[in-house]
Amino acid sequence: MSKGSVHIVVVYSTQAREVKEHLLELPLLSTVSDALVACKLFPSFPINLSSQSNEWALGLWGRPVAIETVLQDGDRVELYRSLKVDPKVARRERFQQQGSRAAGLFANRRKGAKPGY
């Protein structure tokens, strides 16, 4: 690493089970915005740096950050897309499709045991 730069990683997922990663070397005092521009994701990437209302949220190592946040060496900038389905609802729907006998605790029930135990 040179003295006047920081190494960071930008990570995002445009669809389920697909993660893209960009390794970058940026000048000191670079911001999250600078990192996103350096990735050359624009104009194909659906995020507007000047707007606060994006379908994408920004974070550093899993913690929400503002676009003006100054980066440090080793930071991981993450872009989070909005969820299409609430995870709780999806789990409930999977459980209903499988049926109560084939899922979770009910699958390995002792013979003669009460339902739900």
Side-chain angles (χ1 to χ4, degrees):
M1 176 178 99
S2 61
K3 288 187 177 187
S5 66
V6 291
H7 289 89
I8 63 150
V9 178
V10 177
V11 180
Y12 63 95
S13 174
T14 55
Q15 54 185 305
R17 295 178 183 83
E18 179 183 308
V19 178
K20 296 182 181 177
E21 189 174 285
H22 292 271
L23 303 170
L24 300 172
E25 183 175 349
L26 299 172
L28 284 176
L29 302 177
S30 292
T31 63
V32 172
S33 175
D34 297 332
L36 296 177
V37 171
C39 285
K40 299 179 181 165
L41 300 174
F42 308 103
S44 61
F45 204 75
I47 191 168
N48 183 358
L49 295 179
S50 61
S51 171
Q52 292 293 343
S53 62
N54 285 310
E55 68 175 83
W56 293 80
L58 299 169
L60 282 178
W61 291 107
R63 296 185 179 198
V65 294
I67 201 141
E68 311 87 32
T69 304
V70 176
L71 298 170
Q72 298 177 2
D73 192 45
D75 275 346
R76 174 185 165 110
V77 177
E78 300 167 342
L79 288 123
Y80 313 112
R81 60 186 161 85
S82 57
L83 297 175
K84 293 182 180 178
V85 178
D86 181 11
K88 291 179 185 177
V89 172
R91 182 176 182 274
R92 203 172 295 127
E93 288 174 358
R94 278 194 314 271
F95 184 81
Q96 288 172 349
Q97 287 175 352
Q98 291 173 344
S100 62
R101 299 202 188 284
L105 296 173
F106 307 111
N108 298 324
R109 191 172 49 165
R110 285 189 337 249
K111 201 171 199 172
K114 296 179 187 175
Y117 289 90

